[in-house]
Amino acid sequence: EDQVTQSPEALRLQEGESSSLNCSYTVSGLRGLFWYRQDPGKGPEFLFTLYSAGEEKEKERLKATLTKKESFLHITAPKPEDSATYLCAVHLPGGYQKVTFGTGTKLQVIP
Amino acid sequence: DAGVTQSPTHLIKTRGQQVTLRCSPKSGHDTVSWYQQALGQGPQFIFQYYEEEERQRGNFPDRFSGHQFPNYSSELNVNALLLGDSALYLCASQRGNQPQHFGDGTRLSIL
């Protein structure tokens, strides 16, 4: 069965303290991996798409990387406004874009 | 440029009732997907509509049904509501295999 697992479930960082979030997957024939940010009471906001092992994408303090079995979301010198739940999702093989989400990592950045 | 819009934002129903949720996709998008997100969980795929047809479905019972209109907007219908149907219902739209963009959801509470 296709699985997406995110760790840790929750992470508390001091402002400026860099860290990484993990997303591991057991999907054969991955067609894409997505990272989303979700604020309380809001829908997920698209951050990145990664398609192949070795690929990296950056946006402000965030950098996403992909290997054959996992993806990392690196957060460099986070600020309180980076506090949110970060969701990883994989595009399953098949004809259409069926997406499976992980349960997310809740990040809290303390000033 | 309006993003994905969903209505209503909140809804309270009782067990056994029926509910209809609505979604207008982002301009230029022709595919709509619906997700159920329980508290503390990632979104779970319900189904996807393209060209007014359901073309993929997740592991949800037939009580969950949908429709897509010629203007690409969509409805999610849930019959015979159960307490366990309480969740945030998210609509996502996309064009082709581009990443999905989400609305802020409808919070459904079942009493």
Side-chain angles (χ1 to χ4, degrees):
Chain A
E1 182 181 335
D2 298 318
Q3 293 267 5
V4 181
T5 304
Q6 291 189 245
S7 62
E9 290 184 6
L11 182 62
R12 195 174 183 191
L13 298 173
Q14 290 293 130
E15 185 172 0
E17 179 187 2
S18 302
S19 188
S20 296
L21 313 182
N22 177 265
C23 171
S24 62
Y25 58 91
T26 54
V27 173
S28 299
L30 180 75
R31 296 182 64 184
L33 184 142
F34 309 99
W35 282 98
Y36 285 86
R37 169 193 170 127
Q38 187 173 26
D39 292 299
K42 299 288 187 180
E45 175 190 350
F46 172 72
L47 294 173
F48 304 110
T49 306
L50 301 166
Y51 292 104
S52 56
E55 190 174 0
E56 297 183 353
K57 294 274 180 73
E58 285 190 68
K59 180 180 180 180
E60 295 180 357
R61 295 177 292 282
L62 301 176
K63 183 168 81 172
T65 61
L66 182 65
T67 72
K68 287 186 177 180
K69 290 297 179 187
E70 58 191 353
S71 176
F72 293 93
L73 184 65
H74 308 277
I75 304 176
T76 302
K79 298 182 177 182
E81 53 262 41
D82 295 321
S83 298
T85 295
Y86 290 85
L87 294 164
C88 164
V90 298
H91 180 184
L92 301 177
Y96 306 116
Q97 192 177 91
K98 183 177 179 180
V99 174
T100 294
F101 278 84
T103 55
T105 293
K106 186 174 182 178
L107 174 66
Q108 184 181 16
V109 182
I110 312 296
Chain B
D1 180 22
V4 179
T5 58
Q6 293 187 242
S7 62
T9 53
H10 296 86
L11 204 50
I12 299 174
K13 292 285 188 179
T14 57
R15 281 178 297 174
Q17 284 190 310
Q18 177 264 342
V19 69
T20 298
L21 311 181
R22 295 176 176 82
C23 171
S24 292
K26 183 178 169 70
S27 178
H29 288 187
D30 56 8
T31 304
V32 173
S33 301
W34 286 92
Y35 292 83
Q36 180 194 68
Q37 186 176 25
L39 204 59
Q41 300 296 313
Q44 298 291 312
F45 176 76
I46 302 175
F47 42 54
Q48 183 179 85
Y49 277 83
Y50 173 72
E51 292 188 342
E52 303 178 51
E53 296 286 333
E54 180 186 298
R55 69 176 183 183
Q56 284 202 109
R57 189 178 184 92
N59 295 326
F60 280 79
D62 292 344
R63 298 187 296 110
F64 290 77
S65 63
H67 189 77
Q68 186 180 34
F69 299 94
N71 66 353
Y72 307 117
S73 66
S74 178
E75 289 181 349
L76 165 65
N77 301 292
V78 187
N79 294 322
L81 287 166
L82 304 173
L83 291 177
D85 294 332
S86 294
L88 180 68
Y89 287 85
L90 294 163
C91 171
S93 71
Q94 68 193 105
R95 183 169 186 85
N97 274 329
Q98 295 299 308
Q100 296 178 345
H101 291 256
F102 285 81
D104 286 337
T106 293
R107 172 71 62 187
L108 177 63
S109 299
I110 311 300
L111 304 179

